[in-house]
Each structure stands twice: as structure tokens, then as C-alpha cells.
Amino acid sequence: LGRFPEATGTVFVGGCGPAPTSAAMATPGQLQMYNKQELNELFGLDHRAKDERTGKIHRIHIYEDEKVPDAVIFHIWLEDHTLGNLLRMELLRNDAVLFAGYKVPHPLNNMIELRVQTLPKSSPEKAVRQAVKNLRSECKSMLDEFDAGLAQLSASSSSSAPFPPAAGAKIASPTRNAGYQDADAAYSPSDEGGQRLQQEMDAMYFSEQGVYSPSYQPPVSPGAEEELFGDAEMPPQ
């Protein structure tokens, strides 16, 4: 056995010389680079879509199945599992279709192979045309329903947009934690000239500072009062 430059180790087999133990492996990044299709291969036909019978390049090739009667094989280029599975499911709904299946012969060739067999009263070409017609109708209906639902959602969102409250209107209080008393459920900005709101805001501020709560005021010596609160405004007594 001769030497392989990509071998990472060698062993001796029956005295015939070194043999490779493992070949060099491509990294995942290199595999992705090797398997990446060119942009023109996804949206354009090339020499691979050439029909050997006519010498022309076109998208759909039709071949009669020589093994099964009333069966046809379609080679559809620039398509993948999306259209293949849709056609298969729609063809199987047709009572005149005996068999419908597809495969992707090669992952780098953007082509599917669709095989259809029908009853003698129909034909594979007719069944495929009817399936395409039904799929177009279903897709159009789905798009219409989506557009109608989107328009309805937009209309409901615009109609439920928040507006500034009118003068004197009551403001609904936000959701509060369990155990908190909703004291301002019937609050109005005109109540007591806003003093009540200011008092509650002051109480909330000093409770967050940890030095004051509405129900308890720690004893503070007169000299330490300025050091404790600094420049903050003292809460109302």
C-alpha cells in the first residue's frame, strides 16, 4: 500500500507497508463553504436542466414511467420540499390518483422528482394540473383571510388607543400587589387641590429610602435631623 499525504497516522498491515488510519477531515466551516449553492443556482436554470431528448433547457421535464402503466415522472427544477409536499398531499385527495410521491435526488440540485400514477380514466398530467389549480385557490383564500384579519386587528388597535381623560373623569388605578389598599380608587385630580396625591408621593418616596413610613416615624434627635434627611423635604407631620 502506498502512502497517502492526508493520513494522520500509519499502521503496518501484513508487512505490506504503512496504511492510513484516518483521512483528513474537513471542518464544519469548510463543509458549509463546499455545499453552499451559488445565488444563480437558486433562481436560474443551467446546463443541469437540459433535456437530453430535445437539447433545450427548461424547468419541467416529463418522462413516462416504463415500469408502471398510467404513470409519469416529473422533474421540476428550482423547487424543493415545499412544493413537492404540497403537490403530494393535494394529489392524494384526488380519487383518480393511485400513487403520488416525490423525492429530492440530490441536495445540491435544486430539483424534485414527482411520480404520479392515476386510473385509466384520468392522466397524471390532468391530475397535476388540477392539483396546482386547487393549491392556487387555497393559497389565495388563505391570503385573503390573512389580509382581512390584519385589517381587523389594525382597526381594533386604532380604536382602542388610549386618549387623555376628560376634565373631572375618574382615573382607573393600575393593578396593585396583593395586600395593598387601593386608596385612590375614586381619586380625582381636583380633590383637595392635589394635596392628597402629593402626600402619597412623599410617603412612597420616604418609604423607599427606608427612613419613613406613613404608619411609623422613627425617633430622631433634633441635631441628627439634618444629617438624616439632608436636603430632602421633610414629610408632613
Side-chain angles (χ1 to χ4, degrees), residues 201-214:
M201 292 179 63
D202 293 341
M204 185 182 302
Y205 169 77
F206 287 107
S207 64
E208 292 177 355
Q209 301 297 324
V211 297
Y212 173 77
S213 68

Side-chain angles (χ1 to χ4, degrees), residues 38-45 78 110:
E38 297 293 338
L39 189 61
N40 61 337
E41 296 179 358
L42 299 176
F43 303 100
L45 298 175
L78 304 183
N110 201 13

Side-chain angles (χ1 to χ4, degrees), residues 118-170:
T118 62
L119 294 174
K121 65 179 181 180
S122 181
S123 65
E125 294 87 349
K126 183 178 179 181
V128 170
R129 289 180 181 274
Q130 184 63 36
V132 172
K133 182 179 178 181
N134 295 343
L135 287 174
R136 292 182 64 179
S137 178
E138 292 179 9
C139 292
K140 183 178 182 302
S141 176
M142 186 183 302
L143 288 175
D144 292 342
E145 292 182 3
F146 176 79
D147 293 339
L150 184 60
Q152 183 179 1
L153 178 62
S154 301
S156 60
S157 300
S158 60
S159 62
S160 60
F163 294 96
K170 296 182 179 181

Side-chain angles (χ1 to χ4, degrees), residues 43-224:
F43 303 100
L45 298 175
D46 55 13
H47 64 280
R48 293 174 295 180
K50 182 179 180 180
D51 192 346
E52 300 296 339
R53 299 168 299 181
T54 61
K56 296 181 180 180
I57 297 177
H58 47 89
R59 188 173 180 184
I60 301 177
H61 303 172
I62 303 177
Y63 303 92
E64 293 186 3
D65 195 339
E66 299 178 355
K67 301 179 181 179
V68 183
D70 300 316
V72 168
I73 300 174
F74 300 88
H75 288 181
I76 307 176
W77 289 86
L78 304 183
E79 297 296 344
D80 54 9
H81 294 280
T82 303
L83 181 64
N85 196 39
L86 282 173
L87 287 175
R88 181 183 68 87
M89 295 298 296
E90 189 62 34
L91 285 168
L92 292 177
R93 296 178 182 178
N94 192 340
D95 296 335
V97 175
L98 297 178
F99 176 84
Y102 83 97
K103 67 178 181 179
V104 179
H106 196 281
L108 296 183
N109 290 338
N110 201 13
M111 183 266 288
I112 61 174
E113 181 179 308
L114 178 67
R115 186 186 301 267
V116 182
Q117 182 184 8
T118 62
L119 294 174
K121 65 179 181 180
S122 181
S123 65
E125 294 87 349
K126 183 178 179 181
V128 170
R129 289 180 181 274
Q130 184 63 36
V132 172
K133 182 179 178 181
N134 295 343
L135 287 174
R136 292 182 64 179
S137 178
E138 292 179 9
C139 292
K140 183 178 182 302
S141 176
M142 186 183 302
L143 288 175
D144 292 342
E145 292 182 3
F146 176 79
D147 293 339
L150 184 60
Q152 183 179 1
L153 178 62
S154 301
S156 60
S157 300
S158 60
S159 62
S160 60
F163 294 96
K170 296 182 179 181
I171 303 178
S173 60
T175 304
R176 303 187 182 277
N177 298 330
Y180 186 89
Q181 183 179 1
D182 192 0
D184 60 343
Y187 170 75
S188 174
S190 60
D191 292 346
E192 302 177 2
Q195 297 180 2
R196 179 181 175 184
L197 177 61
Q198 184 63 37
Q199 293 176 0
E200 292 185 358
M201 292 179 63
D202 293 341
M204 185 182 302
Y205 169 77
F206 287 107
S207 64
E208 292 177 355
Q209 301 297 324
V211 297
Y212 173 77
S213 68
S215 59
Y216 173 74
Q217 180 177 0
V220 180
S221 59

